[in-house]
Amino acid sequence: MSSDSQGSVKGEAAMMLPPSGSASSQGQPLSPSTTSKPPELPDELVQAGWSKCWSRRENRPYYFNRFTNQSLWEVPVLGQHDVISDPLGLNAAPAEGGDGNLGNGQRKRRSSDEQGAGPNSLKRAKVKIVHTWSGDQSPTTPISPSTPGVKPWSAAPEDKQVCVVFRIYWDLDIQTNAVIREHPPANHLPPHPEIELQRAQLVTKLRQHYHELCHQREGIDPPRESFNRWLLERKVIDKGHDPLLPSDCDPIISPSMFREVMNDIPIRLSRIKYKEEARKLLFKYAEAAKKMIDSRNASPESRKVVKWNAEDTMSWLRRDHSASKEDYMDRLEHLRQQCGPHVAAVAKDSVEGICSKIYQLSAEYSRRLRQTHLSLLCTLTPEPACASPPQSRLVYCYPVRLAIPSPPLPRVELHFENDVACLRFRGEMVKVNRGHFSKLELLYRYSCIDDPRFEKFLSRVWCLLKRYQEMFGSGANEGTGLQGALPVSVFEALNRQFGVSFECFASPLNCYFKQFCSAFPDIDGFFGSRGPFLMFSPVSGSFEANPPFCEELMDAMVTHFEDLLDQSSEPLSFIVFVPEWRDPVTPALTRMEGSRFLRHQLSVPAYEHEYRSGSQHICKRCYYRAVHGTAVLFLQNDAGFAKWAPTPERLAELTAAYRPASSRTSSLSSPAGGGARAPH
């Protein structure tokens, strides 16, 4: 297993890096230094977290590691290769006689490694990896994915070890088949906890302003998730410098925010289950419409129409008490058709004012934040980066690299509460479960090239978690639907049958493959991101696209798909998963259904399939039933269709994989279940 894992890291490094950089430069993370040095132990053991203690029960000394909670009766030995705590052998002492037998990633421990660890350097905890191999790995040939199980970072004492295996929702061993043209490093400012903390405060302040404006001007609560969708929609067209706050958009008025606020005027219409709820909603709508038209600068004709319809509805409610739920809903729809255009006309200027004010505040916050960030970088005076000339050669895709080197980062505290990792900086705590914390460590090891000793790992994890918390909000279940993911079984079927090895819309927290596109290249690049998909231009490969359900983003995605498919003659395939909204139908779905690159389309009914929660890294319930149908569209050029054609056999396995786990288990247990598997 060790040699295979090393081979996969080495293969990706060869694909991604110039000759001067190699995977061997990324060593095992070392332990934080300590000020207390008991005379009983060498300095190296003290720095690794070991201390000598006394057992009252056994009446003899033992040795305890405060980083891993490991206890030993014998004096610990540094450098020995433990397949559990060091599965890749990165910290193993070399065999006597030289370096000839060293595998990829193995190197001798230098004294500088043992003495120069920074405040955020991290000792690799005990990890148990369980692999199921079904063949040799090749960068361009899909393989049957393996599913590693990860043990908690803190282990029990050696004589009483309990193996806890987490359920894994990713496969980081699958190599990419996505080919791009080599490009120079990006000019994003490197992330810093101080800046991220200020950004979080400003985004929270902006959310509060939005809430207050909706209440003061329209008397409504902000539509649920509308601020989050505003961030997504603005970043589609934003040309500003801040990774989150929009600051350079045209037009200033957001179509997404304007549409969602207008839909809740004069009141928000919720789903109705019972007759009495329908009656109350009809009365509230008539009352709110009349009140709005009286308090705004409306034309005489608008006042007349709205007042007459509102009073007629109230009169009908007073005299007719035998109406059914359907009668009330029909009357409500009629009232909306009659009053809606007039109410929208008087609210239009006010709602545009809300959208404009939020954008102007965002632009001001972005400018202020960038000035602070630049001042911080100038103060820390990092070493200048070596500029590399842009290349035009074709290479396998590789993570985003930053042109500006990262300065030393402040200390972030880490502790565990049961199965949750808690990271704290200046009193602000973010949390992630142990399984996803281990996943981030693996992604960082595969992708980061400027921090071989993991000195900046905890600071960057804190920035990453804080950034996604800022984007999707901190409310209960807020943002969960906007970053949901496909079930593991679907990813496995996509990889086996269609060679999919890349996600167009993901994050380090919810990705299945280690190669993906995400929203924040400045921080996600350290964990494997290839940058935003709308800025990503592959020449060939097989891709999965499950975008956030934002209409403007999905429409821009379709435009990008068609441009890429039209320009490339190499095999190129996109399998797209979007909500099947038909009333009204979304422009993105309409365009894909009429595209000349559409090869096949599937429809998965509502409540008959699942998604993985966007909060899977902190919640216990990872799957939820989809309340709407999902359209699966295969967009491929001619070469992509010839290589990954959606044949009936392949589609049968994909459809079977999409069933919820309970029904899929019973179906696949029978000999005829699941469909035949097509060859690659």
Side-chain angles (χ1 to χ4, degrees), residues 187-483:
N187 289 320
H188 306 293
L189 299 182
H192 194 284
E194 292 282 2
I195 301 301
E196 206 58 52
L197 182 59
Q198 292 184 36
R199 181 179 288 111
Q201 295 168 348
L202 292 174
V203 171
T204 300
K205 189 176 180 181
L206 193 61
R207 288 179 183 272
Q208 293 172 349
H209 276 301
Y210 179 49
H211 190 276
E212 293 169 358
L213 287 172
C214 288
H215 264 285
Q216 293 172 0
R217 298 194 180 190
E218 304 302 333
I220 62 171
D221 288 329
R224 178 175 172 80
E225 304 277 16
S226 61
F227 187 88
N228 301 334
R229 278 186 288 270
W230 174 76
L231 289 174
L232 290 171
E233 178 263 329
R234 293 281 86 183
K235 297 309 291 183
V236 173
I237 60 174
D238 184 37
K239 299 178 182 178
H241 296 290
D242 193 86
L244 183 60
L245 291 168
S247 59
D248 187 5
C249 300
D250 185 24
I252 292 177
I253 306 300
S254 164
S256 171
M257 180 178 284
F258 179 82
R259 179 177 63 247
E260 294 194 41
V261 174
M262 290 294 287
N263 285 342
D264 281 8
I265 292 176
I267 64 170
R268 182 182 180 185
L269 299 178
S270 57
R271 292 183 179 179
I272 301 300
K273 292 183 178 180
Y274 306 106
K275 168 184 169 180
E276 288 304 316
E277 291 179 348
R279 178 184 175 89
K280 289 180 181 179
L281 191 64
L282 177 59
F283 179 82
K284 287 181 179 179
Y285 188 94
E287 186 180 45
K290 182 180 178 182
K291 182 179 179 180
M292 174 173 281
I293 210 71
D294 285 338
S295 61
R296 303 291 177 92
N297 186 21
S299 65
E301 181 65 21
S302 294
R303 292 180 187 275
K304 178 180 177 181
V305 172
V306 173
K307 280 188 175 182
W308 187 89
N309 280 278
E311 291 173 356
D312 181 65
T313 298
M314 292 179 181
S315 176
W316 179 78
L317 286 170
R318 283 191 293 267
R319 68 173 182 266
D320 192 345
H321 299 280
S322 61
S324 64
K325 172 190 168 183
E326 289 70 24
D327 294 334
Y328 290 127
M329 298 307 296
D330 290 343
R331 189 83 184 198
L332 177 60
E333 182 61 27
H334 173 75
L335 186 62
R336 288 188 64 195
Q337 291 178 357
Q338 295 297 317
C339 300
H342 302 284
V343 170
V346 298
K348 179 176 180 291
D349 291 342
S350 176
V351 175
E352 287 182 345
I354 293 175
C355 299
S356 177
K357 181 66 174 178
I358 294 300
Y359 172 77
Q360 291 169 359
L361 288 172
S362 175
E364 171 60 24
Y365 293 164
S366 174
R367 183 191 61 80
R368 189 189 310 172
L369 202 60
R370 183 169 177 82
Q371 289 180 347
T372 306
H373 202 164
L374 290 172
S375 300
L376 180 65
L377 292 178
C378 291
T379 303
L380 297 174
T381 60
E383 297 179 2
C386 298
S388 57
Q391 303 286 336
S392 60
R393 59 176 179 167
L394 294 177
V395 295
Y396 286 107
C397 67
Y398 53 91
V400 172
R401 309 299 185 205
L402 300 184
I404 303 175
S406 178
L409 299 180
R411 180 183 180 85
V412 169
E413 299 174 2
L414 169 68
H415 72 275
F416 290 95
E417 297 177 358
N418 297 324
D419 61 344
V420 177
C422 305
L423 294 90
R424 184 190 299 272
F425 175 73
R426 292 193 180 278
E428 289 288 326
M429 182 184 293
V430 292
K431 298 182 178 182
V432 61
N433 63 47
R434 285 180 184 263
H436 282 77
F437 184 74
S438 298
K439 174 191 180 183
L440 292 176
E441 189 268 343
L442 289 173
L443 288 171
Y444 194 80
R445 184 177 302 280
Y446 285 138
S447 307
C448 180
I449 62 173
D450 71 340
D451 185 25
R453 298 209 305 269
F454 278 47
E455 294 174 341
K456 302 171 183 176
F457 173 70
L458 292 181
S459 292
R460 286 170 173 171
V461 171
W462 187 91
C463 290
L464 172 78
L465 295 173
K466 197 66 179 175
R467 179 76 60 82
Y468 279 93
Q469 186 184 85
E470 296 161 22
M471 184 173 192
F472 294 110
S474 56
N477 297 321
E478 188 176 2
T480 296
L482 293 177
Q483 52 177 338

